[in-house]
């Protein structure tokens, strides 16, 4: 298990992707899965920076990578406004260009790329987003 | 991320390399808006050296695609999209909004 606390800003997305990517690589995930995990972690972090820490410049984002058997569990914790990405409606992917909305796309990708995505919020422990990817899973 | 642009007779080419995420996507938007702001709406994106693109990049492309396609005056087309990025674009339903070509020169020839 390894844990890093990042300053919640977009400049750290590179490092966040490297951190989860390194862990996934050590676990023997395929290149396709590693890309998926990095993209999901990026979208999740972007949501936290944009929504939970909207207007906050010194927020913190803690990322915990746990390896449980063949599973990679990524736990992201922030102490900003509660923002439940799992409550965001799915975007209409059949809408034409003029009606296409970009909101919710990040969450949609996270759900598609990972095997499990869940969210919890409490005043004591902050907001926790948990994503699981199984090695060899469908996700 | 690095961006270079080339102006052809019939279109502009935007060559992107590296990684596009929420940190770097504003640069892409700025480049695309620079071209459309100059009254040029036919744009071929050479993505052969692009390693990564998140939905922040998709958003930049979508917004400029709307501008370009207005009044049928042009469009953005994507060329040499790397496999991983193509998979993410497909997942997001974006491949229907952009013509894609294997070869950047072929994309330029499309205009």
């Amino acid at each position: 298990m390894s844990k890093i606390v990042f300053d919640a800003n977009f400049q750290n997305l590179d490092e966040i992707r490297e951190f989860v990517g390194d862990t996934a690589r050590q676990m023997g995930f395929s290149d396709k899965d590693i890309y998926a995990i990095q993209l999901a972690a990026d979208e999740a972090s972007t949501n936290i920076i944009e929504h939970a820490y909207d207007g906050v410049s010194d927020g913190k984002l803690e990322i915990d990578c746990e390896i449980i058997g063949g599973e990679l569990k990524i736990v992201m914790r922030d102490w900003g406004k509660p923002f439940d990405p799992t409550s965001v409606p799915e975007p209409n992917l059949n809408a034409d260009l003029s009606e296409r909305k970009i909101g919710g796309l990040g969450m949609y990708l996270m759900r598609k790329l990972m095997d499990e995505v869940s969210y919890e919020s409490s005043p004591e422990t902050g907001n926790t987003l948990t994503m699981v990817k199984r090695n060899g899973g469908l996700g | 991320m690095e961006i270079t642009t080339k102006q052809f007779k019939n279109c502009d080419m935007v060559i992107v390399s590296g990684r596009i995420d929420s940190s770097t996507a504003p640069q892409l938007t700025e480049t695309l808006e620079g071209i459309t702001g100059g009254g040029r709406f036919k744009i071929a994106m050479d993505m052969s050296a692009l390693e990564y693109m998140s939905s922040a990049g998709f958003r930049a492309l979508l917004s400029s695609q709307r501008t370009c396609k207005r009044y049928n005056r042009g469009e953005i087309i994507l060329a040499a999209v790397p496999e991983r990025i193509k998979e993410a674009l497909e997942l997001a339903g974006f491949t229907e909004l952009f013509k894609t070509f294997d070869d950047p020169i072929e994309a330029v020839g499309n205009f």
Side-chain angles (χ1 to χ4, degrees), chain A residues 8-10 43-62 76-85 88 119-121 126-129:
Chain A
N9 59 55
F10 293 144
E43 299 294 347
S45 303
T46 292
N47 271 339
I48 290 168
I49 296 163
E50 267 181 356
H51 300 290
Y53 287 127
D54 179 24
V56 177
S57 59
D58 60 351
K60 300 285 178 200
L61 168 56
E62 179 189 283
M76 296 190 166
R77 185 166 287 127
D78 70 81
W79 294 267
K81 281 181 286 190
F83 172 75
D84 182 358
V88 175
Y119 177 83
E120 262 179 69
S121 176
N127 311 313
T128 311
L129 180 75

Side-chain angles (χ1 to χ4, degrees), chain A residues 16 23 32 44 72 80 85 92-93 125 132 134 138:
Chain A
I16 289 170
T23 309
K32 181 178 173 164
L72 171 60
N92 178 4
L93 301 186
T125 57
V132 173
R134 284 186 271 280
L138 293 173

Side-chain angles (χ1 to χ4, degrees), chain A residues 86-102:
Chain A
T86 62
S87 70
V88 175
E90 284 199 0
N92 178 4
L93 301 186
N94 297 315
D96 68 13
L97 183 66
S98 59
E99 283 160 9
R100 188 66 71 103
K101 292 191 176 62
I102 198 86

Side-chain angles (χ1 to χ4, degrees), chain B residues 1-105:
Chain B
M1 180 190 59
E2 277 185 37
I3 304 183
T4 41
T5 57
K6 281 184 197 167
Q7 209 175 90
F8 292 94
K9 195 173 160 205
N10 292 326
C11 72
D12 286 63
M13 182 179 273
V14 176
I15 305 158
V16 281
S17 63
R19 295 177 290 274
I20 303 176
D21 60 14
S22 301
S23 171
T24 55
Q27 247 176 286
L28 175 62
T29 299
E30 201 180 310
T31 301
L32 293 172
E33 285 179 355
I35 296 169
T36 57
R40 301 173 64 87
F41 303 100
K42 293 173 179 166
I43 301 172
M45 298 276 305
D46 178 350
M47 298 166 83
S48 56
L50 194 63
E51 293 161 26
Y52 174 86
M53 182 161 63
S54 75
S55 69
F58 300 178
R59 188 187 322 208
L61 289 176
L62 179 69
S63 160
S64 288
Q65 182 70 310
R66 284 201 184 111
T67 306
C68 289
K69 280 200 159 181
R70 199 169 298 148
Y71 316 121
N72 280 325
R73 58 194 174 184
E75 66 181 309
I76 296 178
I77 58 182
L78 311 180
V81 186
E83 194 56 31
R84 299 279 98 86
I85 296 171
K86 193 185 282 178
E87 286 164 2
L89 285 168
E90 272 167 13
L91 211 50
F94 266 55
T95 40
E96 283 142 42
L97 303 178
F98 296 86
K99 274 189 209 162
T100 56
F101 289 85
D102 291 337
D103 179 13
I105 297 305

